[in-house]
């Protein structure tokens, strides 16, 4: 079985972070979102992976993953061009998947327990598709699915005004090639997209059975900055300590900490895990870091108090201030303005920004 990761979205809800870099490479605990999807497919035994790319961020994604050999998979890139919806993206994979069943995984999704069970459960001789579901709090934001007692799907609706329940499509699907005919017959939805939810409803309407699988363990769609921060907290909750850099003083570092090669936590810096720090980053004396914070590669963090935040990388933050629940893009500079009284700042800072606080 092959895997198809949809990575064509523009990341408009993550602006300004995505003005200059693709949302699929936004790091969660120092690993790009898209790599989590790749790891889940690999864990489920799927090593032939097609990545559907839009026009935006195409080169960066290809540069990062290459032919997949560094990640233990074989990657084929398929260009969708303009994002016309999930069904359009799946349609682009037709030649790549051929005549077999295949898995589709939304590239901005994160799942604690992976997709192995969902794929194992799927029985292609009885069902035309299998879908992953989970209960959500705001069902009108998602594709919502009604199922019967045995888990067979009765109906699917995309972003319903009046949801029949709160079981949402989480963005993992197993399809037989029958889906392609349905995709061809689609018309654009009210939001001007070809909806995969409607293509699956089409399979049902033609008398096919659709299997559902409720996924346990957390699931997170990283569409918005607060979702990235939440996903970062969820992933950090499970990290194992791994120190490859230098901790100058063990007394000031507590909890689970990952520290990449070439990075230093200086003598009087306080770090409270869970925290993930990339490579070649310096946490200077006088800094207070964590908990639930990820700092990317090649940063200098000097004298600031940072909690529950993600600093993407290549940034210098030297304000003697408290930064909480913040997402800070690449190459940001945040310095102090000593004329102001210190209190907490909440920041969403894009790549190449320069801030004076
Ligand atoms: C898409 C799907 C929706 C699904 C959601 C999961 O929504 O259309 O059915 O529930 O992903 O994240 P979108 O992110 O395009 O709003």
């Amino acid at each position: 079985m092959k895997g198809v990761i949809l990575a064509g979205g523009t990341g408009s809800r993550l602006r300004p972070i995505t003005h200059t870099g693709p949302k699929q490479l936004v790091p969660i605990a120092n690993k790009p979102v898209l790599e989590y999807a790749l790891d889940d497919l690999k864990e489920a035994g799927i090593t032939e992976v097609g990545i559907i790319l839009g026009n935006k961020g195409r080169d960066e994604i290809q540069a990062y993953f290459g032919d997949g050999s560094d990640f233990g998979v074989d990657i084929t890139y398929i260009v969708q061009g303009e994002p016309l919806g999930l069904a359009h993206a799946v349609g682009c994979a037709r030649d790549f998947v051929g005549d077999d069943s295949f898995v589709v995984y939304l590239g901005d999704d994160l799942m604690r327990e992976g997709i192995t069970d969902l794929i194992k459960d799927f029985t292609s001789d009885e069902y035309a598709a299998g879908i992953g579901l989970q209960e959500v709090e705001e069902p009108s934001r998602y594709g919502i699915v009604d199922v019967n007692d045995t888990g067979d799907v009765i109906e699917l609706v995309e972003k319903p005004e009046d949801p029949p329940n709160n079981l949402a499509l989480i963005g993992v699907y197993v399809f037989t090639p029958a889906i392609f005919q349905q995709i061809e017959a689609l018309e654009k939805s009210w939001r001007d997209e070809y909806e995969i939810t409607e293509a699956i409803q089409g399979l049902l309407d033609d008398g096919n059975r659709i299997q559902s699988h409720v996924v346990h363990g957390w699931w997170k769609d990283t569409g918005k900055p607060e979702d990235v921060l939440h996903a970062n907290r969820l992933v950090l909750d499970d990290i194992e300590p791994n120190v490859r850099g230098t901790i100058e003083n063990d007394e000031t570092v507590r909890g689970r900490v990952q520290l990449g090669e070439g990075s230093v936590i200086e003598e009087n810096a306080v770090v409270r895990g869970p925290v993930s720090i990339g490579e070649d980053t310096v946490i200077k004396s006088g800094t207070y870091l964590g908990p639930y914070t990820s700092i990317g590669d090649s940063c200098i963090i000097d004298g600031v108090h940072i909690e529950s935040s993600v600093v993407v990388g290549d940034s210098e933050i030297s304000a003697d201030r408290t930064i909480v629940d913040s997402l800070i893009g690449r190459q940001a500079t945040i310095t102090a303005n000593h004329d102001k009284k210190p209190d907490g700042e909440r920041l969403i800072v894009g790549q190449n920004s320069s801030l004076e606080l």
Side-chain angles (χ1 to χ4, degrees):
M1 197 186 267
K2 290 180 180 171
V4 175
I5 300 179
L6 308 189
T10 58
S12 54
R13 289 177 295 166
L14 272 181
R15 285 181 197 139
I17 296 294
T18 47
H19 272 315
T20 40
K23 67 169 176 178
Q24 295 82 6
L25 295 185
V26 169
I28 308 288
N30 278 304
K31 186 160 100 173
V33 172
L34 192 57
E35 199 176 329
Y36 287 90
L38 209 58
D39 284 351
D40 283 352
L41 287 170
K42 202 170 71 176
E43 190 188 86
I46 296 171
T47 53
E48 273 185 89
V49 180
I51 299 185
I52 313 286
L53 298 172
N55 289 327
K56 197 165 187 286
R58 205 151 88 189
D59 295 344
E60 290 104 314
I61 293 173
Q62 294 196 45
Y64 183 84
F65 291 103
D67 63 5
S69 49
D70 288 352
F71 300 84
V73 292
D74 180 2
I75 298 177
T76 302
Y77 295 99
I78 301 157
V79 176
Q80 177 188 9
E82 285 311 309
L84 302 177
L86 296 182
H88 174 247
V90 174
C92 296
R94 191 173 196 156
D95 290 343
F96 170 72
V97 297
D99 297 329
D100 294 332
S101 302
F102 60 103
V103 181
V104 170
Y105 198 128
L106 297 190
D108 49 8
D109 270 8
L110 245 73
M111 255 166 271
R112 181 170 197 224
E113 284 168 16
I115 55 171
T116 307
D117 289 347
L118 190 152
I119 291 170
K120 261 202 232 144
D121 268 11
F122 179 66
T123 36
S124 62
D125 41 352
E126 286 177 57
Y127 292 96
I131 53 179
L133 301 177
Q134 188 165 99
E135 288 189 2
V136 292
E137 276 171 15
E138 289 179 85
S140 53
R141 279 181 54 193
Y142 300 92
I144 296 298
V145 178
D146 206 2
V147 298
N148 68 14
D149 295 347
T150 57
D152 270 35
V153 174
I154 303 168
E155 192 190 11
L156 306 94
V157 210
E158 185 61 34
K159 304 197 177 23
E161 273 179 25
D162 188 14
N165 60 45
N166 60 352
L167 268 184
L169 287 158
I170 59 169
V172 179
Y173 316 82
V174 192
F175 291 124
T176 57
I179 195 69
F180 293 118
Q181 265 174 299
Q182 299 296 334
I183 291 173
E184 267 177 20
L186 284 178
E187 290 182 8
K188 280 191 177 171
S189 68
W190 58 270
R191 60 168 175 167
D192 212 25
E193 289 189 10
Y194 295 103
E195 305 284 355
I196 197 65
T197 308
E198 289 180 13
I200 304 168
Q201 180 65 45
L203 285 173
L204 264 185
D205 294 344
D206 283 356
N208 297 285
R209 290 175 73 193
I210 311 294
Q211 192 173 26
S212 74
H213 180 102
V214 176
V215 170
H216 301 287
W218 55 257
W219 154 71
K220 200 74 205 158
D221 157 14
T222 55
K224 292 188 287 180
E226 54 266 39
D227 299 326
V228 170
L229 295 174
H230 189 199
N232 184 59
R233 287 196 294 274
L234 291 167
V235 171
L236 288 180
D237 248 339
D238 288 335
I239 60 164
E240 296 295 332
N242 182 3
V243 175
R244 283 177 291 151
T246 308
I247 296 177
E248 289 185 352
N249 177 3
D250 284 338
E251 301 277 297
T252 65
V253 178
R254 301 254 172 81
R256 286 166 297 124
V257 172
Q258 293 185 337
L259 185 67
E261 253 169 46
S263 289
V264 182
I265 300 174
E266 288 188 353
E267 191 174 353
N268 291 317
V270 175
V271 177
R272 295 280 177 265
V275 158
S276 169
I277 300 167
E279 297 179 358
D280 300 317
T281 280
V282 184
I283 311 298
K284 295 253 192 206
S285 286
T287 301
Y288 182 104
L289 204 64
Y292 296 106
T293 298
S294 295
I295 309 287
D297 295 344
S298 306
C299 293
I300 299 172
I301 311 293
D302 188 2
V304 71
H305 177 149
I306 307 184
E307 270 187 49
S308 271
S309 294
V310 173
V311 177
V312 174
D314 299 310
S315 289
E316 186 169 345
I317 304 177
S318 62
D320 50 351
R321 307 294 292 266
T322 300
I323 293 173
V324 295
D325 295 336
S326 298
L327 175 56
I328 298 175
R330 204 171 282 286
Q331 285 160 1
T333 308
I334 302 179
T335 51
N337 174 341
H338 292 285
D339 295 338
K340 279 179 69 184
K341 273 203 239 133
D343 54 11
E345 316 285 350
R346 190 169 186 281
L347 306 169
I348 295 162
V349 182
Q351 186 159 334
N352 296 327
S353 311
S354 182
L355 262 75
E356 205 181 284
L357 298 175

